[in-house]
Amino acid sequence: MTNTTVKGTRKHPIKEFRGLRGFIQSRLVTPLVGPECSTSLLQFQIFSHFDCTRLLISKVLGFGLVAGGAVIKMPQIYKIVMKRSAIGVSFASYALETAAYIAGLAYNVRQGNPFNTYGEHAFMAVANCIVIALMFHYTHRYKDLVTVSVCTFLFTTSLFSRAIINDTLLLSFQWLAILIGIVSKLPQIYSNWNHKSCGQLSAVTVGLQTVGSLARCFTTATEVKDTVIFVTYLVATGLNGSVLYQVVIYWGKGRKTKSLMD
């Protein structure tokens, strides 16, 4: 067993277990936290080697968030399809939020960060694209849908290509993504406040986003230790929490306007 210290942990002695603990160590724990921390955890040194405990929590939480990212937008999509309307769902917010997700995804991939620390961005970006497509579909704006689709493809390709955008410029884009994240929520927050209603905005989706961004602050601080990514999730937590608060206080109040851009 190789003596390899996982990023974010101190060096600990390694021991190879046999029997059931050996199976758990080799098949489950070591792939997650490395051989040193697997030894500490299977010896129940939970508090004395808390760096390993924290890493395990972060890994499990991270993969849970990635799995959750695959379904977090489903309640919103379901609600729009069932109502055949996207009233109350801000196009500007979803478009900017999608841009921020794509920028974050490209930055993490090119930085070589562990997939469990950002993977949900891919699923949420795709889900956002579906929501946006439904907005255009239910307002019969198919030419606009094609235009937005082409722009999204070109934007994504550019961010993932070092030949087009180098790492220094991409870092600037990631800082810009924080501003985009703020701006993306402001139309939704203003629209909710202006109408004193959240329309077809899904409370489940907003609630899960708030909890997820808060959990990402923990996983980023534990595994990645990247200031720009941590600030991104911290800001997202505050903004998602603001929208969640509006969903609660405006619960059950309808909205009359049918504008896609409100």
Side-chain angles (χ1 to χ4, degrees), residues 137-239:
H137 171 68
Y138 288 124
T139 51
H140 309 291
R141 298 174 60 175
Y142 299 109
K143 289 183 179 178
D144 291 337
L145 174 58
V146 173
T147 301
V148 169
S149 299
V150 172
C151 289
T152 302
F153 174 77
L154 294 175
F155 177 70
T156 303
T157 303
S158 298
L159 288 178
F160 276 89
S161 173
R162 282 190 170 88
I164 300 175
I165 296 177
N166 60 34
D167 290 342
T168 302
L169 186 56
L170 183 63
L171 177 60
S172 299
F173 266 107
Q174 186 58 31
W175 280 111
L176 181 61
I178 297 175
L179 180 60
I180 292 174
I182 295 173
V183 175
S184 74
K185 290 297 182 184
L186 292 181
Q188 186 70 71
I189 291 171
Y190 174 76
S191 178
N192 295 342
W193 173 81
N194 188 45
H195 294 92
K196 299 297 185 289
S197 166
C198 293
Q200 303 307 325
L201 201 61
S202 169
V204 175
T205 293
V206 174
L208 290 175
Q209 280 184 293
T210 304
V211 174
S213 56
L214 181 60
R216 272 293 172 225
C217 289
F218 172 76
T219 62
T220 300
T222 300
E223 297 186 60
V224 180
K225 303 186 187 302
D226 188 311
T227 302
V228 63
I229 297 178
F230 181 80
V231 173
T232 299
Y233 287 125
L234 189 63
V235 170
T237 300
L239 292 169

Side-chain angles (χ1 to χ4, degrees), residues 77-154:
I77 294 172
Y78 176 80
K79 193 170 185 179
I80 292 174
V81 172
M82 288 297 100
K83 297 289 185 179
R84 303 186 66 80
S85 167
I87 295 174
V89 182
S90 170
F91 167 76
S93 285
Y94 262 80
L96 291 170
E97 184 181 70
T98 304
Y101 283 149
I102 294 172
L105 182 63
Y107 178 80
N108 278 283
V109 169
R110 287 173 55 170
Q111 286 292 108
N113 292 329
F115 182 74
N116 67 288
T117 64
Y118 68 85
E120 71 275 10
H121 281 195
F123 297 112
M124 293 170 74
V126 171
N128 271 14
C129 289
I130 294 173
V131 170
I132 291 171
L134 289 172
M135 288 181 182
F136 286 117
H137 171 68
Y138 288 124
T139 51
H140 309 291
R141 298 174 60 175
Y142 299 109
K143 289 183 179 178
D144 291 337
L145 174 58
V146 173
T147 301
V148 169
S149 299
V150 172
C151 289
T152 302
F153 174 77
L154 294 175

Side-chain angles (χ1 to χ4, degrees), residues 10 44-51 53:
R10 302 188 305 272
F44 303 104
Q45 296 171 324
I46 297 174
F47 297 105
S48 59
H49 292 171
F50 190 70
D51 55 322
T53 304

